[in-house]
Amino acid sequence: MATSIIEHFSTLEDPRIERNKKHALTDIIVLSLCAVCSGANGWEAIEEFGHEKLDWLRQYVPLKNGVPSHDCINYVLARLSAEGFRDCFLSWTRSVMKACPGEIIALDGKTARGSRDAKHERNPLHMVSAWACEQRLVLGQEAIDDKSNEITALPKLLKLLEIKGCIVTIDAMGCQRAIAKQIIEQQGDYVFGLKGNQSQLHEAVEDFFTTARHNNFRKVSYDYDETIEKDHGRLEIRRYWISDDLVTLNNTSAWSGLCSIGMVERECTQAGSTSIEQRYFISSIKPEAPLFAKAVRSHWGVENPLHWRLDVILGDDASRVKKDNGAPILTSLRHLCMNLFEQEPTKMSLAKKFRKAAWSDSFRSKVIFP
């Protein structure tokens, strides 16, 4: 895969003019990737890693003029095309992704809070990522423009993904008719959360399930599933209902592929206190409760395997890189590191793999250049 990584990023356009190229772009990319996989969280740390591991790095890239300075690394990475880097990332990910019919792809946004630039009145980086829940891979990402929101980024990211035969899950922000139409046109299915941004639809689905439950679903077609989890003194019961009875909804034809509506009730008991919450969904999947439950759980679960690990283990939230495209490029490098660690077959947590890659040259080689 050493050749593979380098090949997939070899098409990336160098932002420098020819006479200023003391260090090859591939050298800088590989150095940065290896450093980030070993705990580096900024330009100076990447340079320091290069000096400490120069002999090891030269097994894979020449670094003919030694290690680039942190100013050089900053200049180059901050001026790379975020779209170009994303395309190389997608190319590599497609090369390692296995065919997985029915894969659930969760699209969700995350803010790198440390990237806020108060001096220049710039908001922190917010990036929408696509997470393949079964294979535990980041499939791609799209940074959100400073004056925009997730609704504009989601169609761009979807366009880049191969979603045929997959189920795409998005929270209420992405519950849009145009996005549903795009997913169906790309031969995928969807499960969308509902909230106030689709208030009439939300109310209609809520009213349907409230009435149906009151009448014990008499003369209503539906399917039901339930899960019970006990952990550290907490009891959590999740109940899932899904129905293809859409007669009480208005203008359903406006939603491409709309096939079913769903409700999830979460009952949590801890320290003698019980809380209950309900959430509502629309979807293009068949009214099969186990499949609906799997899709909803997978989307809720993205917070831990992706966002939490990205912040707590790889330090995305703590990074103070702000200038130009530096923040999205570093976040993309962290996503790439996560994918590489997931591909490495040793049965260890990400935290242990991350620590071992920092300490062990042989393990780092196994992860990045198997």
Side-chain angles (χ1 to χ4, degrees):
M1 195 176 291
T3 304
S4 176
I5 286 275
I6 293 171
E7 281 182 351
H8 285 287
F9 284 86
S10 64
T11 58
L12 198 56
E13 186 175 345
D14 197 320
R16 299 167 294 177
I17 58 177
E18 195 62 39
R19 67 174 181 270
N20 289 342
K21 295 180 182 179
K22 181 180 177 182
H23 302 280
L25 179 60
T26 301
D27 290 6
I28 296 172
I29 296 294
V30 172
L31 163 63
S32 300
L33 173 62
C34 295
V36 171
C37 280
S38 302
N41 208 15
W43 314 129
E44 291 183 6
I46 293 173
E47 179 190 356
E48 184 178 354
F49 172 86
H51 289 300
E52 292 292 334
K53 299 297 182 182
L54 181 57
D55 291 340
W56 176 83
L57 284 162
R58 279 178 168 161
Q59 298 176 67
Y60 308 106
V61 286
L63 288 164
K64 293 180 180 179
N65 293 311
V67 178
S69 69
H70 62 271
D71 286 334
C72 174
I73 298 167
N74 178 3
Y75 180 90
V76 173
L77 294 190
R79 286 166 177 77
L80 283 177
S81 164
E83 291 77 14
F85 193 94
R86 177 203 61 199
D87 292 344
C88 294
F89 180 102
L90 283 164
S91 174
W92 176 84
T93 302
R94 286 171 183 153
S95 74
V96 300
M97 189 175 179
K98 304 177 182 67
C100 189
E103 173 71 86
I104 295 170
I105 300 175
L107 270 57
D108 201 26
K110 177 191 172 299
T111 300
R113 303 194 183 281
S115 62
R116 181 175 181 270
D117 189 349
K119 180 179 178 181
H120 297 97
E121 298 183 346
R122 291 175 185 157
N123 293 326
L125 170 71
H126 190 80
M127 186 173 280
V128 177
S129 302
W131 173 254
C133 300
E134 295 285 334
Q135 300 189 55
R136 297 172 67 87
L137 286 173
V138 181
L139 303 182
Q141 60 280 121
E142 182 74 28
I144 295 175
D145 184 84
D146 197 45
K147 297 181 181 179
S148 187
N149 57 38
E150 289 187 15
I151 295 174
T152 60
L154 286 167
K156 295 178 184 177
L157 180 55
L158 277 168
K159 189 176 181 181
L160 301 169
L161 303 176
E162 297 286 346
I163 63 171
K164 183 178 180 180
C166 299
I167 300 172
V168 178
T169 64
I170 310 176
D171 62 18
M173 173 65 80
C175 184
Q176 305 289 328
R177 295 173 185 177
I179 294 175
K181 182 174 185 289
Q182 181 178 350
I183 292 170
I184 295 300
E185 288 177 347
Q186 291 183 224
Q187 301 181 58
D189 281 303
Y190 61 82
V191 174
F192 290 166
L194 286 171
K195 277 189 180 177
N197 62 319
Q198 295 289 346
S199 58
Q200 290 185 344
L201 186 57
H202 180 273
E203 289 174 8
V205 174
E206 183 179 4
D207 288 345
F208 170 86
F209 281 105
T210 299
T211 303
R213 291 181 72 188
H214 180 75
N215 295 307
N216 294 315
F217 285 89
R218 183 162 47 91
K219 297 183 179 181
V220 173
S221 63
Y222 76 102
D223 198 21
Y224 175 78
D225 194 23
E226 182 176 305
T227 62
I228 300 175
E229 296 178 6
K230 295 181 180 179
D231 186 30
H232 301 293
R234 183 181 67 178
L235 172 64
E236 185 169 291
I237 303 172
R238 288 180 179 173
R239 304 178 182 94
Y240 303 86
W241 292 269
I242 187 168
S243 174
D244 60 358
D245 190 338
L246 309 179
V247 295
T248 60
L249 275 64
N250 293 322
N251 199 23
T252 55
S253 61
W255 292 88
S256 297
L258 179 60
C259 180
S260 56
I261 54 178
M263 170 181 170
V264 178
E265 182 174 80
R266 177 177 174 268
E267 180 180 334
C268 184
T269 301
Q270 188 171 21
S273 176
T274 299
S275 63
I276 298 176
E277 66 174 356
Q278 290 96 18
R279 296 187 184 182
Y280 302 93
F281 300 82
I282 61 170
S283 81
S284 65
I285 64 174
K286 295 178 180 179
E288 298 173 357
L291 179 60
F292 173 55
K294 181 182 177 182
V296 172
R297 285 198 308 268
S298 296
H299 188 86
W300 287 349
V302 75
E303 185 64 34
N304 185 55
L306 179 57
H307 298 332
W308 185 87
R309 296 194 305 167
L310 196 63
D311 280 338
V312 175
I313 299 174
L314 274 72
D316 190 62
D317 229 13
S319 177
R320 294 295 182 264
V321 173
K322 301 176 175 66
K323 189 176 180 181
D324 299 321
N325 283 336
I329 294 296
L330 267 183
T331 293
S332 295
L333 281 170
R334 294 184 191 104
H335 283 159
L336 183 53
C337 288
M338 288 183 68
N339 284 354
L340 287 164
F341 284 126
E342 290 290 351
Q343 292 292 297
E344 199 283 317
T346 306
K347 298 297 182 182
M348 289 191 294
S349 68
L350 177 65
K352 288 183 178 180
K353 287 184 178 182
F354 191 52
R355 184 167 60 244
K356 191 168 183 179
W359 294 346
S360 169
D361 290 351
S362 60
F363 184 73
R364 191 184 316 110
S365 293
K366 185 181 177 184
V367 170
I368 305 173
F369 307 118

